[in-house]
C-alpha cells in the first residue's frame, strides 16, 4: 500500500528556535498533503492543507507565519515551526493522497524546552 | 475546530469480548471512516463507508453508516490484545476536509 514517511519522528528543541518536519509520499505523487496537530489524549486537529506549487490553506486559528508550510514537489511537504515555544509541544502528523484514501505519516513528537 | 462526538471515551474489556463504539455529528457527512491509532504512530484506516445505511466488514470489524448520515458505529468481535489503541471516526463531504471524532481508547486485558 501507499506509504507516507515523516521525519524526524522525535525532536527536542530550545524555545525560540525553529524546527522543520518533513512529510514524504514514497510511492505516489501527492498534489495535496495535510498537516494535523494532536495534543495528548486528544483528537487530530487539521492545521493546514498543503498544495503543491501554491500557498497552503490554513484552518481558522492557525498562525500561518508561525507554521510555515512548503510543498515544493509532488512527494514532499515541509512544516516549519518558527520561534517555537513550550506550548507548541505536540504530536504533528501529516497525511497525503486523496481524502478518502488518505495515508498518514508516523507522526513527529515535538518537545520545546 | 469542529469535532465529532464519540462514545464511549474509553473501554476496558477482557479478551474475547465484543466491543461497540459510536460516533455522532450535528451535521451530515457523505463519507464515514474509522481509523485506529497506536501510541506514537499515525492513524491507520480500518473501514470506509460511502453510502447511508451501508454495513461493511473488515475481518472482525464491522461498521455501519447511519441512515440519517449523522452517525456511524464500529463493532469489534472477539477482541484480542492487539486491538488495543485509540479508535477515531472521521466524517468527510465530497473532497472536503476530514473531521475527526474525539476518539475511543480501548484497553484489552488477557
Amino acid at each position: 500500500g501507499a506509504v507516507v514517511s515523516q521525519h524526524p519522528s522525535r525532536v527536542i528543541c530550545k524555545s525560540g528556535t525553529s524546527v522543520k518536519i518533513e512529510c514524504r509520499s514514497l510511492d505516489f505523487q501527492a498534489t495535496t498533503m495535510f498537516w494535523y496537530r494532536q495534543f495528548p489524549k486528544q483528537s487530530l486537529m487539521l492545521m493546514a492543507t498543503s498544495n503543491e506549487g501554491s500557498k497552503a490553506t490554513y484552518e481558522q486559528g492557525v498562525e500561518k507565519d508561525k507554521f510555515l508550510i512548503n510543498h515544493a514537489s509532488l512527494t514532499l511537504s515541509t512544516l516549519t515551526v518558527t520561534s517555537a515555544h513550550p506550548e507548541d509541544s505536540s504530536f504533528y502528523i501529516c497525511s497525503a493522497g486523496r481524502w478518502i484514501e488518505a495515508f498518514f505519516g508516523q507522526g513527529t513528537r515535538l518537545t520545546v524546552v | 475546530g469542529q469535532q465529532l462526538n464519540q462514545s464511549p471515551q474509553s473501554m476496558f474489556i477482557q479478551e474475547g469480548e465484543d466491543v461497540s463504539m459510536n460516533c455522532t455529528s450535528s451535521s451530515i457527512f457523505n463519507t464515514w471512516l474509522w481509523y485506529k491509532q497506536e501510541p506514537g504512530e499515525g492513524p491507520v484506516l480500518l473501514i470506509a463507508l460511502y453510502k447511508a445505511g451501508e454495513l461493511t466488514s473488515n475481518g472482525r470489524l464491522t461498521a455501519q453508516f447511519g441512515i440519517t448520515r449523522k452517525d456511524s458505529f464500529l463493532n469489534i468481535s472477539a477482541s484480542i490484545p492487539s486491538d488495543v489503541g485509540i479508535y477515531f471516526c472521521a466524517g468527510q463531504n465530497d473532497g472536503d476536509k476530514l473531521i475527526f471524532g474525539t476518539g475511543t481508547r480501548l484497553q484489552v486485558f488477557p
Side-chain angles (χ1 to χ4, degrees):
Chain A
V3 178
V4 174
S5 177
Q6 258 182 264
H7 177 81
S9 57
R10 288 178 179 271
V11 58
I12 301 173
C13 71
K14 289 186 177 179
S15 190
T17 61
S18 295
V19 173
K20 181 186 283 188
I21 303 170
E22 293 186 348
C23 180
R24 293 181 185 272
S25 56
L26 298 185
D27 55 359
F28 66 102
Q29 294 182 330
T31 55
T32 305
M33 293 185 177
F34 308 94
W35 288 96
Y36 296 82
R37 180 167 52 186
Q38 186 178 31
F39 291 108
K41 297 188 178 181
Q42 293 191 23
S43 186
L44 286 78
M45 299 301 293
L46 180 65
M47 298 175 66
T49 302
S50 172
N51 304 298
E52 188 268 338
S54 65
K55 291 182 180 179
T57 305
Y58 290 82
E59 294 299 301
Q60 193 172 8
V62 178
E63 299 175 59
K64 62 180 180 181
D65 294 330
K66 180 166 183 64
F67 298 99
L68 301 179
I69 290 173
N70 184 278
H71 194 152
S73 78
L74 287 170
T75 59
L76 174 64
S77 175
T78 61
L79 168 68
T80 301
V81 183
T82 63
S83 187
H85 290 116
E87 56 264 32
D88 297 324
S89 298
S90 187
F91 193 54
Y92 292 85
I93 310 172
C94 70
S95 74
R98 290 173 293 169
W99 279 117
I100 294 174
E101 298 176 5
F103 300 96
F104 286 83
Q106 311 97 311
T108 297
R109 172 77 58 195
L110 170 63
T111 303
V112 184
V113 298
Chain B
Q2 184 185 358
Q3 277 190 340
L4 306 178
N5 292 314
Q6 274 184 252
S7 64
Q9 200 171 31
S10 59
M11 302 181 75
F12 299 86
I13 62 168
Q14 201 148 23
E15 184 177 359
E17 289 184 3
D18 296 342
V19 171
S20 185
M21 59 190 79
N22 74 305
C23 186
T24 58
S25 169
S26 57
S27 53
I28 289 170
F29 287 103
N30 292 327
T31 301
W32 283 88
L33 306 123
W34 284 93
Y35 289 87
K36 179 187 176 186
Q37 185 181 29
E38 297 190 17
E41 299 287 334
V44 174
L45 181 64
L46 300 173
I47 291 181
L49 301 158
Y50 304 107
K51 189 177 173 183
E54 179 183 354
L55 184 71
T56 297
S57 293
N58 178 9
R60 293 180 296 107
L61 278 61
T62 302
Q64 183 157 33
F65 191 148
I67 282 291
T68 65
R69 293 197 282 154
K70 291 184 178 182
D71 63 326
S72 176
F73 73 74
L74 174 71
N75 287 341
I76 305 173
S77 62
S79 59
I80 58 178
S82 61
D83 290 333
V84 166
I86 305 175
Y87 291 79
F88 289 103
C89 62
Q92 187 240 333
N93 284 320
D94 300 330
D96 202 354
K97 56 191 175 185
L98 283 173
I99 305 296
F100 278 88
T102 47
T104 294
R105 188 177 296 268
L106 177 64
Q107 187 66 254
V108 179
F109 296 102

